[in-house]
C-alpha cells in the first residue's frame, strides 16, 4: 500500500522522449500493486510529503525487460515492425505519427501501457491508412481512462464508458475525423470497461487526442487499439454534393464504361439526424432498376444518441426524383423490416430516389448494411404504351400512317417474369375505315437464340415451346370495333395465324383483310433472362403501313360473276383530301371452279415513270407480281391472259387474286377501271365436242351459283358467260382471232347486230306507226280549220 503524492518522471535531459517538464502527480492511496512501464530507459520517482507520519509510506521494485517479453505492448515479432507504436515526434513524450496502418501494424496506446499512464498528459496521435475508410478497432478492448478525484479504489467506483465532454471532466480521449484538431469531432470518451464499438472515419486520416488531468489516482491503465481500413468504399460513377448526397446519372454511368453503377450503405461514422440521399437520374424515356445483391438489417450497435421506439434508422425508396411520400416503393426499418436481396425495384419514370435517415447516428456505420446496384434501361415506346403492361404497344393510323418497330428496347422485360409464364409483348395496329382499310406488316429480321433446353428445330411453331412471333387479325373482315376480339387460340384453330419461330434474314409480309392486326412476341420463360437480358441486338424488326384509303373503294370484293374496280373511288372524292401518295390493295375473291378474265377498260398514268404509279397483280402463293403495269408498258394492259382456276387456288384454298396500285403523285393524275368476269367451262361429250345442250337461258338449274351460262365465248376453250353480259359495252370474253385475222368476242359487231335484229318487237313498231298517223291527221284537221276560217272572213 502506498500513500502519495508521487511524481514519476519518465526520461531525462539526455533522452528525446520525456515528461520531465510537467510530470503531474499521483495522489491518494492504492491498496493493490500497480505497474508503471516506462517509455524510456530512465525513470525518476519523486516522493513529496508535507506532513510525514507513520501512515505515510510507499514501496516499489524495478526490473528491466526486453521488448520480446512485453507482449501486450509490442505484440508478436516487434523486430519486423519497429514503428508499430508509431513514430515519436522529436521533443515530445507521447506525440506519435502512424503511417499506412494495417491490422497488427499500428498499435495506438496510452503512454506506459499496459501500466498506469502518467499525469498531466496531452498526447496527439496522427493516424493514416492507405485506403478509406480508416477504422479504429477498439471494440471489446479494455478501456480505462477516468482520473476521478478519489483516494482509493473503494471510494472510486467504476464508471461505465461514457461520451461527451460534459461527462469526461478529467481524463479522456477525443477522436477527430481528419488530420488534426480542426477536423470534425467524432466523440469524446472516458470510463472503465470494454469499449462497446469501433469507430470508422470518413477518409484515410484520423486524429486522436489523449488528455490526463494534472493530478489523479494511481489506478488507470489507459487504452490500446489497432488501426486499419474498412473495405466499405467503392468508386461510384456519380457526383457528390456535401457529405453523402449523390447524383447518379445515366450519363455518368456511360462515361465510366460500366453497365451497372454501385453504391454502398454508409460505412463510416455519422452524427444523429443524418440524412443521405441517392438520386438515380436517367434521360427521357429511360427507367431505373435498383437491386441489392447483399442486404443485412441489424440492430443499431453503436448509436451516438440512443432513442426509444422503432425505426431509429430507415431506408426509403421513392418512384420519383425527390422524396414524394405519395410515391414510396418500399421502406426498410432497423427494427421490423426484412431485407430483400436480388429483388428488382423498377421506377415508372426516369428517376428513382433513395433516402437513408438515422435518428441515432453511429460511430461505425449503418445498421442497414447493403450493397446496391443500379442501371438504366431504354423504355422508349415506338407506339402508344398500354397502361399496366410492360411492353404492349398500340400503333394507330391517326398518329402515324407508317413506321417501324422492334422487340422491347427495355430488356428488363425478359428478366421480370414468373417462372411459369412466358414473356409476351402484344403490338396492336389499329385504324379506322374512314382513314384506311388495311394494315401491311413486314417482319424484316428475326434473331432468336437457340433454346438451351430445347435445341431441336422448330417443327410446329404454335405448339412447340420456342421463341416465336405470331400474327393474326383480332376482328373478322367487315366487323366494327365493338365486335368481341378474336383470341390467339381461336385464330389458331381456324388457321388464320402467321407464326415465325426461326431465324430469318428475309422478309415476311402480312396484309390484313380488315382494319386491325395483332403481332405478339412470345419468349419462353425458361431461358428468357439467360438469353436476352441486356442483349443489345433486337429479337425482331418490322415495318408497318396503313393503306387503302377511301379513294381506293372496298378492299375485299366477294365472289361474283362479274365486277368492276374504279380508281379513284368517286364516292369518296367529295370528302377526302387527296394524299400525296397512295397505296390500294384489292382482294377479288372468285367462285370455285371458275376461271377469271381481267380487262383494263380504262387506264391512265401521270407519267411513263413506274415510280409515279404502278399496278401489280398478285396470285396466291407468289411473292413477286404476276403482272405489272405502269406508264411505260401501259399498252400491255390491252391483252391480259385469262387466269385458270388452278392458278387462282394453287393450294386448294379459297381462290382469289390481289391487285395493288401504288401512286406516288397526286391521285387525281391517275385513273383506271378494271373489269373482271368469271368464266365457266362447258363440259365435253365422249367425242370431245362441247355439250351445247348445257346452254340454258337463265343458267343451268344444276349450277349452285344460280347465274346463267347462256353464251358461249368465241374460241375452242368452251367458256361461257351469262347472256346479260353479252353486248353490254364491256368485253367479258377473252378476245380470239378468226380465220380472217380479225379479233372477235362477246362485243363483236356481228354478235351484237344479229342479236339486235332478233330482238325487234313488232308490237312496239305498230303502236309507234299508228301514233304517227294519228299525229298527222290531227295536224291536217287543224290546218283545214284555220284555212276555212280565213276564207269565210274574206267573203
Amino acid at each position: 500500500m502506498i500513500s502519495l503524492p508521487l511524481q514519476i518522471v519518465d526520461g531525462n535531459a539526455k533522452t528525446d522522449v520525456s515528461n520531465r517538464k510537467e510530470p503531474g502527480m499521483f495522489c491518494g492511496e492504492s491498496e493493490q500493486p500497480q505497474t508503471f512501464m516506462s517509455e524510456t530507459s530512465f525513470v525518476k520517482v519523486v516522493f513529496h510529503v508535507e506532513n510525514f507520519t507513520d501512515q505515510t509510506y510507499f514501496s516499489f521494485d524495478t526490473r528491466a525487460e526486453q521488448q520480446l517479453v512485453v507482449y501486450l505492448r509490442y505484440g508478436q515479432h516487434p523486430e519486423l515492425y519497429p514503428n508499430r507504436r508509431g513514430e515519436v515526434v522529436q521533443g515530445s513524450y507521447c506525440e506519435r505519427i502512424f503511417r499506412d496502418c494495417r491490422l497488427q501494424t499500428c498499435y495506438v496506446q496510452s503512454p506506459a501501457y499496459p501500466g498506469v499512464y502518467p499525469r498531466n498528459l496531452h498526447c496527439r496521435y496522427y493516424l493514416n491508412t492507405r485506403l478509406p475508410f480508416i477504422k479504429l478497432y477498439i471494440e471489446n478492448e479494455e478501456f480505462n481512462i477516468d482520473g476521478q478525484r478519489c483516494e482509493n479504489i473503494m471510494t472510486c467506483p467504476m464508471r461505465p464508458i461514457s461520451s461527451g465532454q460534459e461527462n469526461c471532466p478529467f481524463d479522456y480521449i477525443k477522436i477527430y475525423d481528419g488530420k488534426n484538431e480542426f477536423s470534425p469531432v467524432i466523440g469524446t470518451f472516458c470510463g472503465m470497461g470494454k469499449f462497446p464499438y469501433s469507430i470508422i472515419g470518413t477518409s484515410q486520416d484520423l486524429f486522436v487526442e489523449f488528455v490526463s488531468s494534472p493530478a489523479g489516482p494511481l489506478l488507470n491503465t489507459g487504452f490500446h487499439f489497432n488501426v486499419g481500413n474498412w473495405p466499405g468504399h467503392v468508386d461510384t460513377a456519380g457526383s457528390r454534393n456535401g457529405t453523402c448526397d449523390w447524383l447518379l446519372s445515366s450519363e455518368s454511368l456511360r462515361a465510366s464504361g460500366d453497365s451497372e453503377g454501385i453504391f454502398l450503405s454508409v460505412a463510416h461514422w455519422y452524427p444523429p439526424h443524418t440524412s443521405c440521399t441517392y438520386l438515380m437520374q436517367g434521360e427521357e424515356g429511360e427507367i431505373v432498376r435498383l437491386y441489392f445483391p447483399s442486404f443485412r438489417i441489424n440492430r443499431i450497435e453503436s448509436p451516438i444518441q440512443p432513442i426509444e421506439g422503432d425505426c431509429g434508422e430507415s431506408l426509403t425508396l421513392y418512384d420519383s426524383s425527390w422524396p414524394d411520400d405519395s410515391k414510396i416503393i418500399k421502406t426498410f426499418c432497423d427494427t421490423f423490416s426484412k431485407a430483400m436481396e436480388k429483388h428488382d425495384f423498377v421506377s415508372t419514370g426516369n428517376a428513382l430516389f433513395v433516402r437513408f435517415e438515422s435518428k441515432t447516428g453511429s460511430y461505425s456505420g449503418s445498421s442497414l448494411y447493403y450493397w446496391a446496384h443500379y442501371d438504366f434501361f431504354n423504355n422508349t415506346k415506338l407506339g402508344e404504351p398500354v397502361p399496366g403492361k410492360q411492353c404492349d404497344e398500340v400503333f394507330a393510323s391517326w398518329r402515324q400512317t407508317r413506321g417501324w418497330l422492334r422487340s422491347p428496347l427495355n430488356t428488363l422485360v425478359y428478366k421480370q417474369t414468373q417462372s411459369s409464364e412466358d414473356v409476351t409483348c402484344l403490338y396492336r395496329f389499329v385504324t379506322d375505315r374512314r382513314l384506311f382499310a388495311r394494315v401491311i406488316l413486314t417482319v424484316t429480321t428475326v434473331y432468336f437464340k437457340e433454346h438451351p433446353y430445347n435445341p431441336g428445330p422448330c417443327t410446329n411453331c404454335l405448339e412447340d415451346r420456342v421463341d416465336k412471333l405470331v400474327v393474326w387479325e383480332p376482328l373478322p373482315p367487315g366487323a366494327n370495333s365493338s365486335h368481341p376480339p378474336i383470341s390467339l387460340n381461336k385464330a389458331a384453330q381456324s388457321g388464320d395465324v402467321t407464326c415465325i419461330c426461326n431465324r430469318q434474314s428475309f422478309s415476311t409480309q402480312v396484309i390484313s383483310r380488315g382494319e386491325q392486326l395483332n403481332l405478339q412476341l412470345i419468349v419462353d420463360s425458361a431461358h428468357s433472362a439467360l438469353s436476352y437480358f441486356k442483349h443489345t441486338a433486337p429479337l425482331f424488326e418490322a415495318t408497318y403501313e396503313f393503306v387503302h384509303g377511301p379513294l381506293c373503294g372496298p378492299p375485299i370484293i366477294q365472289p361474283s360473276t362479274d365486277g368492276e374496280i374504279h380508281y379513284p373511288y368517286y364516292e369518296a372524292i367529295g370528302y377526302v383530301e387527296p394524299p400525296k401518295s397512295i397505296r390500294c390493295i384489292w382482294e377479288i375473291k372468285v367462285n370455285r371452279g371458275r376461271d377469271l378474265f381481267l380487262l383494263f377498260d380504262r387506264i391512265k398514268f401521270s407519267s411513263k415513270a413506274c415510280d409515279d404509279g404502278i399496278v401489280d397483280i398478285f396470285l396466291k402463293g407468289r411473292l413477286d407480281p404476276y403482272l405489272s403495269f405502269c406508264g411505260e408498258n401501259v399498252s400491255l394492259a390491252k391483252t391480259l391472259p385469262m387466269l385458270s382456276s388452278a392458278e387462282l387456288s394453287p393450294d386448294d384454298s379459297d381462290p382469289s387474286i390481289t391487285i395493288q396500285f401504288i401512286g406516288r403523285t397526286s391521285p387525281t393524275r391517275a385513273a383506271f377501271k378494271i373489269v373482271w368476269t368469271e368464266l365457266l367451262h362447258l363440259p365435253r361429250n365422249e367425242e370431245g365436242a362441247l355439250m351445247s345442250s348445257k346452254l340454258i337461258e337463265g343458267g343451268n338449274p344444276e349450277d349452285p351459283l344460280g347465274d346463267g351460262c347462256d353464251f358461249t365465248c368465241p374460241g375452242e376453250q368452251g367458256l361461257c358467260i351469262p347472256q346479260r353480259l353479252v353486248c353490254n359495252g364491256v368485253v367479258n370474253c377473252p378476245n380470239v382471232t378468226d380465220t380472217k385475222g380479225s379479233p372477235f368476242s362477246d362485243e363483236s359487231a356481228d354478235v351484237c347486230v344479229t342479236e339486235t335484229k332478233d330482238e325487234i318487237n313488232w308490237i312496239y313498231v305498230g303502236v309507234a306507226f299508228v301514233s304517227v298517223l294519228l299525229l298527222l291527221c290531227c295536224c291536217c284537221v287543224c290546218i283545214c280549220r284555220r284555212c276555212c276560217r280565213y276564207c269565210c272572213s274574206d267573203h
Side-chain angles (χ1 to χ4, degrees):
M1 176 178 178
I2 58 175
S3 178
L4 308 171
L6 179 70
Q7 281 185 339
I8 301 178
V9 180
D10 189 359
N12 59 11
K14 296 180 180 181
T15 59
D16 292 333
V17 177
S18 177
N19 68 334
R20 69 184 189 278
K21 294 181 179 180
E22 296 179 355
M25 65 177 62
F26 296 98
C27 57
E29 298 181 356
S30 177
E31 297 181 356
Q32 296 180 352
Q34 298 292 343
T35 301
F36 175 83
M37 192 170 294
S38 70
E39 298 287 346
T40 70
S41 58
F42 184 91
V43 176
K44 180 174 70 173
V45 178
V46 179
F47 177 67
H48 173 79
V49 61
E50 295 180 355
N51 185 14
F52 185 84
T53 67
D54 57 354
Q55 298 297 319
T56 303
Y57 62 89
F58 75 97
S59 65
F60 62 91
D61 58 12
T62 64
R63 68 179 183 271
E65 300 284 5
Q66 297 292 327
Q67 288 186 0
L68 291 172
V69 177
V70 190
Y71 173 77
L72 292 177
R73 173 178 285 189
Y74 297 101
Q76 293 181 338
H77 307 293
E79 70 280 3
L80 299 179
Y81 305 101
N83 294 318
R84 180 178 266 167
R85 300 185 71 230
E87 303 173 24
V88 181
V89 176
Q90 188 176 7
S92 71
Y93 177 64
C94 57
E95 188 169 347
R96 297 174 181 263
I97 299 174
F98 296 81
R99 307 178 194 275
D100 191 17
C101 288
R102 299 180 299 278
L103 279 178
Q104 304 302 321
T105 66
C106 292
Y107 286 175
V108 183
Q109 301 170 341
S110 56
Y113 184 85
V116 294
Y117 54 79
R119 311 306 309 173
N120 203 27
L121 293 177
H122 190 175
C123 303
R124 295 176 175 86
Y125 303 90
Y126 301 91
L127 312 178
N128 169 264
T129 60
R130 182 175 299 178
L131 296 172
F133 303 109
I134 186 171
K135 179 176 180 179
L136 306 185
Y137 289 88
I138 316 178
E139 187 176 11
N140 296 322
E141 294 284 355
E142 288 292 339
F143 189 83
N144 195 331
I145 300 175
D146 203 358
Q148 299 181 59
R149 296 293 186 266
C150 54
E151 294 184 353
N152 57 57
I153 195 170
M154 301 302 295
T155 60
C156 283
M158 291 181 59
R159 293 203 311 165
I161 295 175
S162 56
S163 62
Q165 193 74 45
E166 67 280 1
N167 296 320
C168 301
F170 306 116
D171 302 350
Y172 60 85
I173 64 169
K174 184 180 287 188
I175 302 174
Y176 298 81
D177 186 21
K179 294 183 177 182
N180 49 45
E181 61 269 24
F182 301 106
S183 303
V185 177
I186 297 177
T188 302
F189 305 96
C190 61
M192 301 173 66
K194 288 186 178 294
F195 206 81
Y197 32 74
S198 295
I199 295 176
I200 303 175
T202 61
S203 64
Q204 298 165 276
D205 298 283
L206 280 176
F207 176 71
V208 177
E209 192 175 39
F210 172 48
V211 175
S212 64
S213 58
L218 192 71
L219 296 173
N220 305 116
T221 55
F223 59 89
H224 164 93
F225 57 84
N226 265 287
V227 181
N229 70 284
W230 176 248
H233 172 77
V234 296
D235 292 328
T236 301
S239 57
R240 183 170 61 180
N241 180 21
T243 305
C244 58
D245 293 332
W246 287 87
L247 172 61
L248 311 174
S249 66
S250 60
E251 181 181 0
S252 299
L253 187 59
R254 282 193 300 271
S256 70
D258 297 325
S259 61
E260 293 185 2
I262 301 172
F263 65 90
L264 305 180
S265 54
V266 184
H268 51 77
W269 84 281
Y270 47 87
H273 308 292
T274 290
S275 175
C276 294
T277 62
Y278 307 87
L279 171 59
M280 286 148 278
Q281 182 67 59
E283 296 181 350
E284 189 68 27
E286 290 184 328
I287 59 172
V288 190
R289 176 183 69 134
L290 174 69
Y291 71 98
F292 302 96
S294 178
F295 202 155
R296 296 196 304 271
I297 298 180
N298 306 315
R299 63 183 181 87
I300 304 176
E301 297 179 350
S302 50
I304 295 177
Q305 181 180 313
I307 65 166
E308 295 182 359
D310 293 331
C311 252
E313 294 187 337
S314 63
L315 184 73
T316 306
L317 281 59
Y318 299 88
D319 186 15
S320 64
S321 58
W322 60 285
D324 185 355
D325 291 340
S326 65
K327 295 184 178 180
I328 293 178
I329 301 176
K330 180 71 177 177
T331 297
F332 298 97
C333 180
D334 66 295
T335 51
F336 53 77
S337 293
K338 181 180 179 182
M340 299 178 68
E341 292 185 342
K342 299 178 181 179
H343 176 82
D344 291 335
F345 297 96
V346 183
S347 68
T348 57
N350 64 340
L352 194 147
F353 191 86
V354 177
R355 181 171 65 180
F356 168 75
E357 290 184 296
S358 175
K359 302 174 184 176
T360 63
S362 173
Y363 289 115
S364 57
S366 170
S367 63
L368 306 175
Y369 172 79
Y370 51 84
W371 178 285
H373 284 212
Y374 67 92
D375 46 10
F376 300 89
F377 294 87
N378 188 346
N379 199 42
T380 303
K381 297 292 193 299
L382 300 175
E384 189 71 18
V386 177
K389 300 291 184 179
Q390 272 198 323
C391 55
D392 291 5
E393 299 179 45
V394 177
F395 298 87
S397 63
W398 47 87
R399 294 185 179 274
Q400 194 170 349
T401 58
R402 64 178 64 193
W404 73 284
L405 66 150
R406 54 164 284 180
S407 56
L409 304 174
N410 174 18
T411 60
L412 191 61
V413 302
Y414 303 122
K415 181 178 182 293
Q416 292 185 318
T417 179
Q418 299 179 5
S419 58
S420 59
E421 295 183 1
D422 291 338
V423 179
T424 59
C425 298
L426 180 63
Y427 304 88
R428 296 179 55 231
F429 304 89
V430 181
T431 184
D432 189 297
R433 66 185 60 184
R434 292 170 296 181
L435 300 175
F436 299 98
R438 287 182 181 271
V439 183
I440 298 179
L441 177 66
T442 305
V443 180
T444 54
T445 58
V446 175
Y447 186 83
F448 291 131
K449 289 188 175 182
E450 292 183 359
H451 198 310
Y453 310 109
N454 184 21
C458 173
T459 55
N460 188 336
C461 182
L462 286 174
E463 299 296 333
D464 291 347
R465 286 194 61 83
V466 293
D467 304 334
K468 67 193 75 171
L469 286 172
V470 289
V471 184
W472 79 98
E473 296 192 48
L475 297 177
N480 55 33
S481 57
S482 62
H483 190 280
I486 300 173
S487 65
L488 175 58
N489 291 335
K490 188 174 180 180
Q493 292 173 2
S494 62
D496 295 330
V497 173
T498 300
C499 188
I500 305 171
C501 59
N502 290 322
R503 299 185 185 183
Q504 67 175 40
S505 56
F506 55 89
S507 299
T508 299
Q509 188 175 83
V510 178
I511 302 175
S512 70
R513 294 171 295 174
E515 300 100 47
Q516 295 190 20
L517 194 66
N518 283 354
L519 167 67
Q520 189 167 45
L521 169 67
I522 302 176
V523 179
D524 188 357
S525 61
H527 76 108
S528 60
L530 176 66
S531 298
Y532 303 123
F533 178 56
K534 291 199 173 181
H535 179 67
T536 56
L539 276 62
F540 77 92
E541 289 183 298
T543 61
Y544 68 91
E545 182 180 3
F546 296 99
V547 299
H548 205 97
L551 290 175
C552 300
I556 298 178
I557 296 98
Q558 298 299 329
S560 176
T561 305
D562 62 292
E564 298 177 349
I565 294 176
H566 291 270
Y567 177 80
Y569 189 61
Y570 296 111
E571 294 180 10
I573 290 180
Y575 65 90
V576 174
E577 181 181 354
K580 294 182 180 179
S581 62
I582 196 167
R583 185 172 182 179
C584 302
I585 300 176
W586 297 274
E587 182 180 356
I588 302 173
K589 296 188 175 183
V590 184
N591 290 302
R592 285 187 176 273
R594 301 290 181 94
D595 296 342
L596 190 69
F597 173 64
L598 288 174
L599 174 69
F600 278 89
D601 187 50
R602 182 178 67 255
I603 185 168
K604 179 188 74 171
F605 291 106
S606 59
S607 69
K608 290 187 176 182
C610 292
D611 291 339
D612 290 340
I614 187 170
V615 176
D616 296 319
I617 299 175
F618 293 90
L619 296 181
K620 270 195 169 184
R622 298 188 185 182
L623 298 177
D624 298 326
Y626 174 71
L627 292 171
S628 294
F629 303 98
C630 60
E632 64 182 19
N633 65 347
V634 69
S635 59
L636 298 178
K638 297 179 180 180
T639 56
L640 294 179
M642 185 187 66
L643 301 174
S644 66
S645 59
E647 292 176 302
L648 297 175
S649 180
D651 53 357
D652 201 32
S653 60
D654 293 337
S656 65
I657 186 174
T658 301
I659 300 176
Q660 175 180 267
F661 168 67
I662 300 177
R664 294 182 176 87
T665 58
S666 176
T668 58
R669 300 183 62 187
F672 54 84
K673 174 184 177 183
I674 301 176
V675 180
W676 76 90
T677 307
E678 292 184 357
L679 304 174
L680 184 66
H681 282 271
L682 284 174
R684 296 180 181 270
N685 56 25
E686 295 178 356
E687 289 77 15
L690 293 175
M691 298 176 65
S692 57
S693 60
K694 296 293 183 179
L695 294 175
I696 302 173
E697 185 178 357
N700 187 354
E702 298 177 0
D703 184 5
L705 300 176
D707 206 348
C709 182
D710 313 289
F711 178 80
T712 304
C713 290
E716 299 298 327
Q717 294 179 324
L719 303 174
C720 62
I721 60 174
Q723 185 66 41
R724 62 181 177 81
L725 299 180
V726 179
C727 299
N728 63 347
V730 177
V731 177
N732 299 103
C733 285
N735 285 317
V736 297
T737 304
D738 59 11
T739 56
K740 299 178 181 180
S742 300
F744 68 102
S745 67
D746 59 305
E747 298 297 321
S748 299
D750 295 342
V751 175
C752 293
V753 168
T754 302
E755 291 184 356
T756 302
K757 291 180 180 179
D758 293 340
E759 291 179 358
I760 294 176
N761 193 325
W762 293 107
I763 298 175
Y764 292 157
V765 173
V767 172
F769 182 73
V770 172
S771 299
V772 172
L773 289 177
L774 291 175
L775 182 60
L776 291 174
C777 293
C778 291
C779 290
C780 292
V781 171
C782 291
I783 292 172
C784 291
R785 292 184 64 182
R786 289 180 63 87
C787 290
C788 291
R789 190 177 302 158
Y790 176 76
C791 293
C792 294
S793 61
D794 264 353
H795 181 72

